[in-house]
Amino acid sequence: MSHHKKQIGIFSVAALGIGSMVGAGVFALLGEVGLYVGPNTWLVFVLSGIVALFSGYSYARLSAYSPTRGGVTDFFRLGFTSPRIERSFGILYMVTIVITLSLIGKAFGAYLSHVLHFPANSIWMNIFASGILILLTLLNLMGSKTVGRVEVLFVFIKLVILTGFIIAGSMTLKPQMLEVHTHASAPSFFAAMGLAFFAYSGYGLMSCAAKDIKNPEKNMPRAFMLSISVTMVLYVILALVVLGNITPKILAEYSDTAVAQAAEPILGHWGFVMMSFAALIATASSITANIFSLFNISQEMGTTGTLPKIFTIPMVKSTRGFYLLMFIVLMLANFFNLDSIANVASATFLMCYLGVFWVSIKIHKKIKANLWILLIGFISMIVIFTMFISSMVSHNQWSQILLLLIAIVITLVTGWRSYSAEQQAL
């Protein structure tokens, strides 16, 4: 069986990254970014994409040095000398997945509500969000290999529909409409960059494939650069097509379904339905992947003692802790709006990826990474994170800031207590 290991090629890993990135992020967030920066949306996706390339470099070098299926949580162990800090970052990443799941579930609910002609922000949006989260949790518990094959099919259908939309939209694009949209202030620009980075954040999942790729030292960096570059080009073209085809009024009214809304004037009602279908597929596949990650990460952290004992108590093919996390996901999806969830998820993702940068800088000689590339990326991400938080303050987004602080406090307290409990047990 040994000769069957490491059979994945560059393009397979790159496809995994593209599939993870070109998902709910662009369908749920392109409109939100457009509200902040209007005609500069394409520029925001370029700049955030460049920072993602720098971050992808740190991931690629760590993946090549330590090929693992554990991804981010394993990277933290390589560079943090304090077990408490390492555990806190691992838990923060898990919390980020919880927040992300609620965001994607909410996006699914928004699209399905529009397709079925229910009023915007009605109770049906939350019902559909809760329904898909519960349904795909049950699907994950079955552990069927068919889910993997369905995921590949979903990604293919999604990219075919998006490509068709881009070709048609490019023909009807009105350059003057890009100037109609409001130009952004500096705080709004950085707020948009934080949200746009979240749309790229799926590349982190590629690190889990390092153990199975042929020649990870050489091929992981290539796969990261290829997937992020392709995604950046796709996002930039999509931003131009969407904002070049819909008015600011429509954008403001339908920001959470902007991509599908832009398809209607181009391809008629069936265009709207088709893009909504692509969005539903993208969000469903993304929910499945994130539930799978949460299932595995929470189980691993429960086994190692990082999480409380509730994560080791069996309950219907999983643990009580896992179901508690899914309950929190449902609460977030039902009681917070799309914008507030997206802001918090963007902030926690930035914090986790800054942690990965720190690890790669600390052991840059071991992983054979260029220190200057890492430092430029690290500083760029610190600037985005700082300005993103500042913009949340300047826009008086206190509920989002409170939710972010609660997430940070939970991770720190859990990380500290779990390590202290383990030391006492020894």
Side-chain angles (χ1 to χ4, degrees):
M1 291 294 286
S2 60
H3 66 284
H4 287 296
K5 292 180 180 178
K6 299 193 176 181
Q7 292 298 305
I8 300 177
I10 295 172
F11 292 105
S12 297
V13 179
L16 173 68
I18 294 166
S20 301
M21 288 183 276
V22 186
V26 67
F27 287 103
L29 298 178
L30 195 144
E32 299 289 343
V33 173
L35 284 180
Y36 276 118
V37 293
N40 294 316
T41 300
W42 68 273
L43 180 60
V44 165
F45 276 108
V46 169
L47 295 175
S48 296
I50 291 169
V51 176
L53 282 168
F54 279 110
S55 178
Y57 175 76
S58 70
Y59 268 85
R61 294 315 316 158
L62 285 164
S63 298
Y65 171 74
S66 178
T68 172
R69 293 190 181 97
V72 183
T73 51
D74 284 341
F75 292 160
F76 293 142
R77 295 194 192 102
L78 296 174
F80 286 112
T81 49
S82 166
R84 289 187 174 95
I85 296 292
E86 173 239 302
R87 286 177 178 220
S88 295
F89 263 99
I91 294 164
L92 182 63
Y93 186 68
M94 189 190 72
V95 169
T96 302
I97 295 174
V98 167
I99 298 169
T100 302
L101 268 170
S102 61
L103 166 70
I104 305 167
K106 198 88 168 178
F108 182 94
Y111 270 98
L112 190 53
S113 294
H114 280 295
V115 169
L116 299 176
H117 303 294
F118 286 106
N121 297 315
S122 69
I123 188 68
W124 285 103
M125 187 163 101
N126 291 341
I127 291 171
F128 293 142
S130 301
I132 194 66
L133 286 164
I134 293 167
L135 182 67
L136 293 177
T137 299
L138 294 173
L139 182 68
N140 264 272
L141 293 175
M142 291 176 189
S144 173
K145 290 181 182 178
T146 310
V147 174
R149 296 191 186 102
V150 171
E151 287 273 295
V152 172
L153 178 64
F154 279 176
V155 170
F156 175 75
I157 295 170
K158 174 178 62 185
L159 290 178
V160 167
I161 295 173
L162 276 174
T163 303
F165 168 64
I166 286 170
I167 293 168
S170 300
M171 295 175 183
T172 60
L173 190 147
K174 305 170 189 71
Q176 67 273 18
M177 288 189 75
L178 292 169
E179 294 306 315
V180 171
H181 297 274
T182 311
H183 283 270
S185 62
S188 293
F189 194 85
F190 280 100
M193 278 196 73
L195 283 176
F197 182 80
F198 178 70
Y200 284 103
S201 60
Y203 64 82
L205 292 177
M206 293 169 65
S207 58
C208 299
K211 203 170 182 68
D212 302 306
I213 195 172
K214 290 177 275 189
N215 192 358
E217 174 73 27
K218 188 172 156 185
N219 290 336
M220 281 307 288
R222 289 179 178 178
F224 269 98
M225 297 307 110
L226 177 63
S227 65
I228 296 170
S229 299
V230 169
T231 302
M232 194 197 308
V233 171
L234 190 62
Y235 281 175
V236 170
I237 296 171
L238 263 177
L240 290 169
V241 168
V242 169
L243 280 110
N245 280 286
I246 61 175
T247 64
K249 184 182 177 183
I250 291 175
L251 180 67
E253 193 174 349
Y254 300 105
S255 62
D256 52 354
T257 56
V259 177
Q261 211 62 45
E264 192 154 24
I266 301 166
L267 300 167
H269 178 66
W270 280 109
F272 172 78
V273 172
M274 198 163 61
M275 288 306 297
S276 297
F277 177 64
L280 292 172
I281 287 175
T283 48
S285 64
S286 192
I287 289 168
T288 304
N290 277 280
I291 291 174
F292 181 76
S293 297
L294 188 64
F295 179 87
N296 286 290
I297 289 171
S298 65
Q299 227 169 24
E300 185 187 337
M301 287 184 163
T303 305
T304 58
T306 303
L307 291 174
K309 286 182 180 178
I310 192 172
F311 287 89
T312 60
I313 301 171
M315 182 180 171
V316 193
K317 295 187 179 180
S318 186
T319 64
R320 287 186 187 177
F322 171 73
Y323 288 107
L324 174 63
L325 291 176
M326 289 309 302
F327 176 75
I328 294 168
V329 169
L330 288 168
M331 290 300 100
L332 289 172
N334 279 276
F335 295 105
F336 287 87
N337 63 43
L338 195 68
D339 185 42
S340 64
I341 297 171
N343 278 327
V344 176
S346 300
T348 54
F349 255 120
L350 283 165
M351 289 171 70
C352 289
Y353 285 19
L354 278 170
V356 174
F357 259 127
W358 176 258
V359 170
S360 59
I361 288 168
K362 196 170 179 184
I363 60 171
H364 73 277
K365 288 182 180 176
K366 282 184 182 178
I367 63 175
K368 300 176 184 175
N370 184 301
L371 182 60
W372 285 108
I373 293 176
L374 295 174
L375 286 172
I376 292 168
F378 184 58
I379 292 165
S380 301
M381 195 173 281
I382 285 176
V383 170
I384 291 177
F385 179 71
T386 305
M387 297 304 293
F388 182 58
I389 298 300
S390 300
S391 72
M392 288 173 73
V393 173
S394 66
H395 286 104
N396 296 318
Q397 294 170 322
W398 300 114
S399 62
Q400 292 96 311
I401 292 168
L402 178 62
L403 188 59
L404 176 61
L405 288 173
I406 290 170
I408 293 168
V409 169
I410 287 170
T411 59
L412 286 172
V413 170
T414 310
W416 247 251
R417 288 190 63 173
S418 74
Y419 182 70
S420 299
E422 186 181 281
Q423 293 303 104
Q424 286 174 11
L426 293 173

